[in-house]
Amino acid sequence: MILARIILGFLSLQPMTGYDLMRAFGSSATYFWSADKAQIYRTLATLVADGHARIETVPGTHGPDRAVHHVTPAGRVVLREWLASDPDRQPPRDAFLARVFFAGELDDAALARLIRSRRGDAVAVRDELMELRARTAHPDPRADRAGWLRSMTLDDGIRDHTAHIAWLDELLAELEEP
Amino acid sequence: MILARIILGFLSLQPMTGYDLMRAFGSSATYFWSADKAQIYRTLATLVADGHARIETVPGTHGPDRAVHHVTPAGRVVLREWLASDPDRQPPRDAFLARVFFAGELDDAALARLIRSRRGDAVAVRDELMELRARTAHPDPRADRAGWLRSMTLDDGIRDHTAHIAWLDELLAELEEP
DNA sequence: ATCCGCATGTAAGTGGTTACATGATTCG
DNA sequence: CGAATCATGTAACCACTTACATGCGGAT
């Protein structure tokens, strides 16, 4: 269960409520994982049941009480084991590549539309990531390794999208050639 | 349901049995989607129930009868609609990036081991894709557009892995610097 | 007053994985 | 004679998504 590990990772950086995690997945984690609240609350419950997290109830400042989750020592062990373990098996799932693979069925106009639409999305995501990198700190690997690693994951996303955009441009160039 | 569309795509290239599809997912489709047989047989059954595919039973040459599935005209419409439709929403899921994001917990040796292990996997996949590209034809976009598109999807995978390996090398270089 | 953000969850459904179950043919 | 490949499927479980359900406090 990768999601449980990721949540443990966030809690190890800072104790959080389910709602805080929702926002974390909507910002810092967007480019490597996503989770909706139903999943988050369910996973928090199992983490507590397994003794990997514990709840500290804090009176809510505006509304219901906040169930702030902390990692327990056992949870920290599980997190570290995951980080150092063999790679998670992750079968590839890329619906866009799948479409291109079968797009011989499509006429030229529809194909160009498909690729341009994808290009627009990819550029938007890349720009968003670049903005995020510009806004946040670039820590030195030796002074703040944890922060440096977090900023490097952003870098990978930016390069990834850049390479993909270049590939889309090649496709378009071939399609538009006389 | 993306899997149903992909299967429709394969059947549109050539009528196939569930077993044939298993092999197709194990070879041509490996770099953009994966599916195991339980899923394939279940999805074929729903395609037939929905009238998007029909079965032609052919006596087996060595073993049970082959249930060869053909796309129906209705199925072909559904496939073409998918190909031209708005992009499928696909939340990002990259367990390795997630690990790097939280890898501040890890000591230098464990971190380097993690990155080198990933590098090994990425190089292996890239080489496999490059071999596959060397072995297969590179059709001309104008003479055989469908074939050209299929070979281009391979290209994207190769570039993607190449960019990722370069990023991993940068990580390692920083870690090993005095 | 009404809407937005904070904060908690449950229920039902879909999609994906693992394990179980069977049997013929072909190659070494 | 045993292992691999061809060929079919079912059952149970796990992970993820969508929709439902509730209610306070602060801003416009």
Side-chain angles (χ1 to χ4, degrees):
Chain A
M1 234 208 177
I2 296 168
L3 180 61
R5 309 286 174 265
I6 293 175
I7 288 178
L8 232 31
F10 275 118
L11 297 183
S12 82
L13 296 179
Q14 199 188 146
M16 287 185 182
T17 65
Y19 196 81
D20 294 333
L21 282 163
M22 264 177 58
R23 280 178 305 183
F25 277 100
S27 57
S28 4
T30 18
Y31 53 99
F32 62 81
W33 208 269
S34 93
D36 67 343
K37 65 190 166 81
Q39 242 183 311
I40 289 168
Y41 284 113
R42 195 172 1 109
T43 306
L44 280 174
T46 68
L47 283 175
V48 171
D50 293 348
H52 300 154
R54 67 187 163 75
I55 296 174
E56 190 196 354
T57 307
V58 174
T61 48
H62 34 247
D65 287 353
R66 296 166 46 84
V68 180
H69 290 70
H70 297 250
V71 188
T72 61
R76 220 166 264 277
V77 169
V78 167
L79 174 59
R80 213 164 295 148
E81 266 167 14
W82 173 61
L83 289 171
S85 68
D86 289 335
D88 311 271
R89 273 176 292 93
Q90 277 205 283
R93 303 210 177 272
D94 188 326
F96 178 76
L97 275 189
R99 286 199 204 201
V100 173
F101 192 86
F102 296 114
E105 298 267 321
L106 245 42
D107 63 56
D108 274 10
L111 180 55
R113 203 160 41 237
L114 177 68
I115 296 169
R116 280 208 199 85
S117 147
R118 170 71 163 202
R119 191 187 189 282
D121 290 353
V123 166
V125 173
R126 185 204 53 187
D127 289 352
E128 211 179 296
L129 294 180
M130 284 174 78
E131 237 181 84
L132 193 60
R133 194 181 58 169
R135 275 205 314 277
T136 58
H138 265 252
D140 179 80
R142 265 153 300 275
D144 172 14
R145 205 181 53 172
W148 170 68
L149 285 168
R150 287 198 292 275
S151 92
M152 285 306 280
T153 56
L154 251 180
D155 257 53
D156 184 61
I158 293 167
R159 279 152 186 254
D160 187 27
H161 282 85
T162 304
H164 189 60
I165 292 163
W167 175 75
L168 292 167
D169 284 339
E170 258 186 46
L171 279 182
L172 284 172
E174 282 282 9
L175 281 176
E176 279 156 11
E177 223 169 75
Chain B
M1 233 208 178
I2 296 168
L3 180 61
R5 308 286 175 267
I6 292 175
I7 287 179
L8 233 31
F10 274 119
L11 297 183
S12 82
L13 298 179
Q14 198 188 148
M16 285 184 183
T17 66
Y19 196 81
D20 294 334
L21 282 163
M22 265 177 57
R23 279 179 306 185
F25 277 100
S27 57
S28 4
T30 19
Y31 54 100
F32 62 80
W33 209 269
S34 94
D36 67 343
K37 66 192 166 77
Q39 243 182 311
I40 290 169
Y41 284 114
R42 204 187 333 132
T43 306
L44 280 173
T46 67
L47 283 175
V48 171
D50 293 348
H52 300 154
R54 66 187 163 74
I55 296 174
E56 189 196 355
T57 306
V58 174
T61 49
H62 34 245
D65 287 355
R66 295 165 46 82
V68 179
H69 289 71
H70 296 249
V71 189
T72 61
R76 219 165 265 278
V77 169
V78 167
L79 174 59
R80 213 164 294 149
E81 266 166 15
W82 173 61
L83 289 172
S85 68
D86 288 335
D88 311 273
R89 273 175 292 95
Q90 278 205 284
R93 303 209 177 273
D94 189 325
F96 177 75
L97 275 190
R99 287 201 203 201
V100 173
F101 191 86
F102 296 114
E105 299 268 322
L106 246 42
D107 61 56
D108 274 11
L111 180 54
R113 205 160 41 237
L114 176 68
I115 297 170
R116 279 207 200 86
S117 147
R118 170 71 163 202
R119 191 187 190 281
D121 290 353
V123 167
V125 172
R126 185 205 53 187
D127 290 352
E128 211 179 295
L129 294 180
M130 284 175 77
E131 236 180 86
L132 193 60
R133 193 181 60 168
R135 275 206 312 278
T136 56
H138 264 253
D140 180 79
R142 267 152 298 276
D144 172 14
R145 207 182 52 170
W148 170 69
L149 286 167
R150 287 198 292 276
S151 90
M152 285 306 279
T153 56
L154 250 180
D155 257 53
D156 184 61
I158 292 168
R159 281 152 184 255
D160 187 26
H161 282 85
T162 303
H164 189 60
I165 292 163
W167 175 75
L168 292 167
D169 285 338
E170 258 186 47
L171 279 182
L172 284 172
E174 282 282 8
L175 280 176
E176 279 157 10
E177 221 169 75

